[in-house]
């Protein structure tokens, strides 16, 4: 293989001096340049350039290659100019990379089929014009963040074949392969159609500065028969200084790849794909990323949101946690309400993470974890409470743009809703408050709290969290056992809508009751069922009649019989699922809702709706992860069993599991923590994190381990929203004796999409 660098002419000499075998020139603003009127023409002196074997960056965004309304003569004129200019500084047979995601994106209002047909017409013209100059046009798949058309190697080949361009070849670019989670097995399978390769490290850093699998990528190409040029396409901070090491890294990776290919390494190990992926599901795995400890002592419960957020403008992650007496520096830190701020671009460096204590020594209990909100004025809001040991909702607000500096703590005292302690006791008050969840509805900020009578209640703020007032009781029920329902909430604020807030909820604690899971949503001043039926008005006072969870739409009924991922079985031979619990809920831009739930499978005790569990029975209870999807315009949830969760996490908490989390940017992806390998059902020594993807609405899944062979448990993953361009995952790793005693470190993993 030859090893080159993509660069403009201004950096060509430095690239060659660093040891590159060639330079791959960029076309826009380099091979062709605009004049004062905006007309593109050849750059001066092209004949004096070193002859190039390939060219990149074909079109500026205004050349709308997929737009049927774009005058054809403009597109053809630009492409003709490009091919003629490239021919003046190209080696015979040089390749022209057809990338340019912005220019080939389907324009707003254009039928996708028409855009695809126009793109095929443009690709065909590019092929013919390149051939006139003795060049070869090749198609580059680009990840979905850059374009909606042609996103992976397999799709690029299928597109060419579909349009009679089956003699054209494609580019294999590690950056786009990783962001599209495309298996290296696919690269290997199609290597005979690969004409050129691009390579970079994590998030397009120079090779050697990240942890992407460079060797495995090159090995997949080599074992598939490719032996052509490989160009480094990355973001340089200082090309002359960084390029020698980057080239050495690629050459070393290729030497290792050649050796591995010669020794015939098994393909499943080489590609890193899940061994048991269903043939019907494209092998799509989680992109490797950087992982680091960001806090040596921390944990969280799962009924507060958002527990973590990314600010894409600054590249910082904010992550709440509670320190334990049993953890690192426990005597001095136990009960601290922590906020860890992480510079994701420097994750793993010694100074990349810092921790602010929002409230020192509040209570050593993971239920006290803060909920976070990014205000319109650039400040951050953190809201938190103790775990049923007082009646105060607490909050603090940061300085503008600086989450390391916070104003004083303020409180809302729920006891003040009553005239006297006696009335408070009679009305279900003074039982303590727990959990905070921040969501916006029609410009008003809501904070959902389990409060009066241990019911879901809410505060409202019309000044983005400066002040709070009682908003109402959402649901109520007579108490059975410990507390009333466990809710998860979701809204569309993160993608610009605040027209409704969805929730899923149980009736009680699954320890005390054979719980089902119910769904409803808040909108237009009312609480609704899934089908839009109004259940009751919002703003209900403490003495007003209030709906019950059972007035909502049932998502997962306790006692229903289930098979595998295909869903409910009719022959009664599947597992009976009972004692369901809510795990996660996300809303997506098109309105689709995805819910993750847990349930006991085949648990004989307590299958009646009003019965609980004899807590003296400490034998293992089989738990399952269950996934539900509600599509826009539909009223019935599509519910399927997802994977085994294993036995209870703690002997005294029969329904605790490692939990699961939904990818906030991809409704067909998630992560889960389990002691049962979802690929083959084998038991694991400790809870491990697995990434799952489906391509058939959850009927089958491709699973990729994120952690493997751990000496301790990996628990309660959080897929962090905020930055669509990155995948950010947090979890805690260590041992857990109870919600009040755990010795765990907070982990963060970041990868490109």
């Amino acid at each position: 293989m030859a090893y080159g660098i993509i660069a403009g002419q201004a950096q060509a000499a430095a690239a060659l001096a660093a040891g590159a075998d060639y330079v791959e020139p960029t076309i826009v603003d380099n091979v062709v340049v605009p004049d004062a009127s905006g007309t593109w023409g050849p750059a001066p002196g092209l004949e004096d350039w070193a002859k190039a074997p390939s060219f990149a960056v074909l079109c500026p965004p205004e050349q709308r290659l997929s737009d049927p309304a774009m005058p054809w003569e403009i597109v053809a004129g630009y492409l003709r100019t490009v091919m003629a200019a490239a021919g003046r500084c190209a080696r015979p047979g040089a390749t022209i990379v057809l990338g340019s995601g912005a220019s080939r994106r389907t324009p707003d209002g254009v039928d996708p089929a028409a855009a695809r047909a126009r793109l095929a017409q443009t690709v065909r013209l590019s092929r013919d014009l390149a051939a006139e100059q003795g060049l070869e046009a090749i198609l580059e798949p680009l990840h979905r963040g850059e374009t909606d058309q042609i996103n992976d190697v397999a799709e690029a080949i299928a597109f060419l074949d579909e349009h009679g361009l089956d003699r054209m070849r494609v580019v294999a670019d590690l950056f786009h392969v990783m962001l599209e989670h495309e298996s290296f097995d696919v690269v290997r399978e199609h290597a005979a159609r690969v004409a050129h390769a691009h390579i970079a490290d994590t998030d397009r850093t120079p090779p050697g500065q990240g942890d992407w699998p460079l060797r495995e990528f090159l090995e997949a190409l080599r074992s598939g028969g490719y032996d052509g040029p490989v160009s480094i396409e990355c973001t340089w901070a200082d090309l002359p200084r960084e390029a020698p090491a980057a080239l050495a890294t690629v050459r070393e990776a290729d030497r290792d790849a050649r050796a591995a290919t010669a020794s015939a390494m098994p393909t499943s190990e080489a590609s890193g794909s899940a061994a048991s992926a269903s043939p019907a599901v494209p092998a799509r795995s989680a992109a490797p990323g950087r992982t680091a400890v960001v806090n040596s002592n921390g944990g969280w419960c799962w009924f507060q949101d958002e527990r973590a957020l990314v600010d894409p403008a600054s590249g910082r992650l904010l992550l709440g946690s509670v320190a334990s007496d049993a953890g690192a520096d426990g005597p001095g830190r136990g009960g601290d309400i922590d906020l860890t701020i992480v510079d994701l671009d420097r994750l793993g460096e010694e100074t990349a993470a810092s921790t602010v204590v929002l409230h020192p020594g509040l209570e050593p209990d993971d239920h006290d974890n803060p909920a976070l909100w990014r205000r319109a004025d650039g400040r951050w809001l953190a809201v938190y409470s103790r775990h049923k040991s007082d009646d105060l909702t607490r909050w603090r607000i940061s300085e503008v743009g600086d989450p390391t500096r916070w104003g004083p703590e303020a409180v809302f005292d729920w006891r003040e809703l009553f005239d006297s302690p006696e009335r408070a006791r009679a009305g279900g008050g003074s039982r303590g408050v727990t959990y905070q969840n921040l969501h916006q509805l029609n410009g008003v900020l809501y904070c959902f709290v389990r409060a009066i009578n241990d019911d879901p209640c809410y505060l409202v703020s019309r000044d983005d969290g400066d002040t709070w007032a009682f908003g109402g009781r959402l649901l109520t029920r007579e108490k059975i056992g410990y507390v009333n329902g466990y809710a998860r909430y979701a809204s569309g604020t993160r993608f610009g809508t605040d027209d409704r807030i969805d929730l899923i909820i149980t009736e009680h604690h699954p320890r005390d009751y054979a719980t089902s899971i119910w769904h409803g949503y808040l909108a237009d001043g009312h609480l609704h069922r899934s089908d839009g039926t109004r259940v009751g008005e919002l703003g209900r006072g403490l003495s007003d009649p209030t709906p019950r969870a059972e007035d909502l739409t049932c998502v997962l009924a306790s006692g229903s019989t289930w098979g595998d991922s295909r869903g409910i079985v009719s022959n009664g031979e599947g597992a009976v699922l009972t004692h369901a619990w809510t795990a996660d809920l996300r809303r997506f831009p098109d309105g689709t809702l995805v819910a993750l739930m847990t349930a006991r499978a085949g648990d004989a005790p307590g299958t009646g709706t009003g019965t609980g569990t004899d807590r003296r029975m400490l034998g293992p209870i089989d738990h399952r992860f269950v996934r539900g999807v509600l599509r826009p315009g539909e009223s019935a949830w599509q519910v399927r069993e997802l994977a085994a969760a294993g036995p209870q996490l703690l002997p005294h908490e029969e329904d605790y599991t490692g939990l699961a989390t939904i990818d906030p940017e991809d409704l067909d992806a998630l992560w889960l923590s389990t002691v049962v390998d979802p690929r083959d059902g084998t038991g694991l020594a400790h809870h491990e994190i697995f990434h799952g993807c489906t391509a058939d609405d959850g009927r089958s899944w491709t699973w990729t381990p994120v952690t493997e062979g751990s000496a301790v448990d990996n628990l309660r993953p959080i897929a962090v929203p905020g930055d669509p361009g990155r995948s950010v995952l947090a979890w805690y790793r260590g041992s857990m004796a109870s919600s009040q005693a755990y010795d765990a470190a907070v982990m963060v993993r970041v990868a490109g999409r």
Side-chain angles (χ1 to χ4, degrees):
M1 289 181 177
Y3 311 93
I5 291 175
I6 295 178
Q9 180 62 12
Q11 292 185 305
L16 293 171
D21 294 328
Y22 64 89
V23 171
E24 181 173 335
T26 53
I27 291 174
V28 174
D29 292 323
N30 187 47
V31 173
V32 296
V33 294
D35 62 16
S37 67
T39 302
W40 293 90
L46 290 174
E47 288 81 0
D48 299 328
W49 291 17
K51 301 303 181 185
S54 56
F55 296 82
V57 191
L58 176 69
C59 293
E62 62 265 26
Q63 293 290 334
R64 303 190 304 278
L65 305 182
S66 297
D67 189 355
M70 184 76 175
W72 183 245
E73 61 273 14
I74 294 178
V75 174
Y78 175 81
L79 291 174
R80 188 172 288 107
T81 297
V82 164
M83 301 306 175
R88 291 165 56 184
C89 57
R91 298 178 188 175
T95 54
I96 304 290
V97 175
L98 308 182
S100 304
S103 64
R104 80 182 193 212
R105 189 179 298 127
T106 302
D108 292 342
V110 173
D111 175 58
R116 189 176 179 87
R118 180 57 177 261
L119 179 61
Q121 186 181 9
T122 305
V123 170
R124 180 174 287 103
L125 176 64
S126 300
R127 177 201 62 181
D128 296 340
L129 292 175
E132 291 177 5
Q133 303 294 329
L135 309 173
E136 179 186 7
I138 57 177
L139 182 60
E140 182 177 32
L142 306 171
H143 73 90
R144 280 170 282 187
E146 293 186 8
T147 185
D148 64 325
Q149 294 217 60
I150 321 301
N151 301 125
D152 57 46
V153 171
E155 184 185 3
I157 291 171
F159 172 88
L160 294 173
D161 293 351
E162 173 190 355
H163 294 282
L165 300 167
D166 52 323
R167 300 188 67 180
M168 284 188 69
R169 299 191 292 171
V170 301
V171 179
D173 186 317
L174 179 61
F175 178 77
H176 301 292
V177 167
M178 297 301 290
L179 268 62
E180 282 299 304
H181 312 295
E182 190 169 24
S183 169
F184 291 160
D185 285 337
V186 176
V187 175
R188 179 181 295 104
E189 177 186 351
H190 295 294
R193 286 283 291 274
V194 173
H196 189 54
H198 290 162
I199 199 166
D201 218 323
T202 311
D203 296 335
R204 261 204 176 129
T205 55
Q209 295 188 23
D211 58 5
W212 274 1
L214 311 182
R215 177 188 63 80
E216 289 85 347
F217 173 66
L218 295 172
E219 180 190 337
L221 287 169
R222 280 195 172 279
S223 61
Y226 179 79
D227 193 30
V230 177
S231 298
I232 296 174
E233 183 179 18
C234 67
T235 302
W236 304 99
D238 185 339
L239 187 150
R241 179 178 60 82
E242 295 173 302
L247 287 161
T249 296
V250 174
R251 289 185 169 110
E252 180 180 0
D254 191 35
R255 283 194 297 271
D256 293 341
R258 287 199 305 272
T261 302
S263 62
M265 178 182 289
T267 57
S268 62
E269 183 178 346
S271 68
S273 60
S276 64
S278 165
V281 180
R284 177 168 155 239
S285 61
R290 300 189 307 279
T291 302
V293 176
V294 299
N295 188 336
S296 62
N297 183 347
W300 48 78
C301 192
W302 67 102
F303 293 110
Q304 312 93 333
D305 277 317
E306 299 285 352
R307 288 162 290 167
L309 284 168
V310 175
D311 175 15
S314 66
R316 288 185 293 195
L317 161 70
L318 275 67
L319 174 64
S321 60
V322 182
S324 172
D325 289 335
D329 303 317
R333 294 185 58 192
D336 285 358
I337 309 302
D338 289 338
L339 183 71
T340 300
I341 300 100
V342 184
D343 182 344
L344 294 175
D345 293 326
R346 298 192 302 113
L347 179 66
E349 297 181 15
E350 186 175 354
T351 59
S354 61
T355 297
V356 175
V357 180
L358 295 173
H359 190 126
L362 177 64
E363 185 181 46
D365 192 312
D366 65 20
H367 295 67
D368 300 356
N369 197 61
L372 305 173
W373 174 259
R374 181 65 185 274
R375 290 165 43 118
D377 62 3
R379 302 173 189 264
W380 294 88
L381 169 68
V383 187
Y384 46 95
S385 67
R386 293 166 67 100
H387 180 202
K388 282 180 62 65
S389 56
D390 69 22
D391 295 278
L392 304 178
T393 289
R394 300 164 167 87
W395 71 94
R396 295 182 68 180
I397 298 173
S398 78
E399 297 297 322
V400 176
D402 187 356
T404 67
R405 300 175 61 193
W406 291 78
E409 183 179 89
V411 300
F412 180 90
D413 190 340
W414 290 81
R415 295 170 299 182
E416 294 181 358
L417 298 178
F418 298 92
D419 295 336
S420 67
E422 293 76 21
R423 290 191 177 182
R425 286 191 293 271
S430 300
R431 295 180 179 176
V433 301
T434 312
Y435 308 136
Q436 322 293 313
N437 291 267
L438 298 169
H439 294 274
Q440 188 169 281
L441 179 62
N442 297 325
V444 177
L445 188 59
Y446 283 63
C447 181
F448 296 94
V449 188
R450 196 181 69 194
I452 308 303
N453 192 49
D454 292 313
D455 290 330
C457 303
Y458 53 93
L459 305 174
V460 294
S461 175
R462 289 175 170 79
D463 50 21
D464 221 7
D466 280 338
T467 60
W468 293 92
F470 178 65
R473 179 183 289 184
L474 191 61
L475 297 166
T476 192
R477 212 175 187 282
E478 64 279 4
K479 288 284 292 297
I480 295 177
Y482 179 50
V483 295
N484 283 345
Y486 284 80
R488 295 302 307 265
Y489 302 87
S491 58
T493 310
R494 63 192 174 88
F495 48 79
T497 62
D498 69 344
D499 59 329
R500 63 187 268 175
I501 299 172
D502 289 85
L503 77 149
I504 53 174
I505 191 167
T506 65
E507 306 93 334
H508 299 290
H509 195 300
R511 173 174 69 227
D512 303 316
Y513 191 88
T515 44
S516 299
I517 293 178
W518 310 83
H519 167 256
Y521 66 91
L522 291 67
D524 304 320
H526 289 79
L527 179 63
H528 304 254
R529 292 170 55 88
S530 299
D531 63 3
T533 302
R534 288 182 174 181
V535 174
E537 292 184 346
L538 301 181
R540 292 173 182 267
L542 299 179
S543 60
D544 295 332
T546 306
R548 299 157 62 94
E550 294 93 328
D551 293 323
L552 304 178
T553 297
C554 187
V555 180
L556 175 61
S558 185
S560 56
T561 302
W562 291 76
D564 52 22
S565 60
R566 291 168 295 182
I568 296 178
V569 297
S570 59
N571 57 14
E573 296 178 358
V576 176
L577 297 188
T578 62
H579 299 268
W581 220 355
T582 53
D584 199 9
L585 181 68
R586 285 288 178 194
R587 185 179 174 198
F588 288 86
D590 67 351
T592 298
L593 286 171
V594 178
L596 295 181
M597 302 158 279
T598 62
R600 305 182 197 176
D603 182 34
T607 54
T609 57
T611 57
T613 302
D614 184 348
R615 301 187 75 186
R616 294 169 296 180
M617 298 180 63
L618 301 180
I621 300 174
D622 179 8
H623 291 84
R624 307 287 173 87
F625 290 114
V626 180
R627 177 177 178 263
V629 178
L630 182 66
R631 303 285 181 182
E634 297 181 357
S635 58
W637 284 75
Q638 175 199 84
V639 181
R640 292 189 171 94
E641 188 177 315
L642 176 65
Q648 60 267 44
L649 182 63
L650 302 173
H652 62 286
E653 291 287 2
E654 301 92 320
D655 299 282
Y656 275 23
T657 67
L659 294 177
T661 182
I662 302 160
D663 187 332
E665 301 299 331
D666 185 349
L667 60 85
D668 291 324
L670 51 82
W671 288 263
L672 54 79
S673 165
T674 181
V675 288
V676 181
D677 192 323
R679 297 171 295 181
D680 56 19
T682 59
L684 303 170
H686 292 280
H687 280 77
E688 305 285 5
I689 307 290
F690 289 85
H691 179 258
C693 289
T694 181
D696 55 9
D697 292 328
R699 294 177 181 83
S700 56
W701 291 80
T702 297
W703 297 103
T704 306
V706 175
T707 65
E708 292 184 277
S710 302
V712 292
D713 288 330
N714 300 274
L715 302 171
R716 296 182 177 175
I718 305 172
V720 186
D723 187 350
R726 294 197 248 205
S727 168
V728 181
L729 185 71
W731 70 95
Y732 59 86
R733 182 181 68 188
S735 60
M736 184 177 188
S738 70
S739 294
Q740 296 74 38
Y742 41 90
D743 183 4
V746 177
M747 310 297 298
V748 169
R749 174 185 177 276
V750 60
R753 288 192 180 274

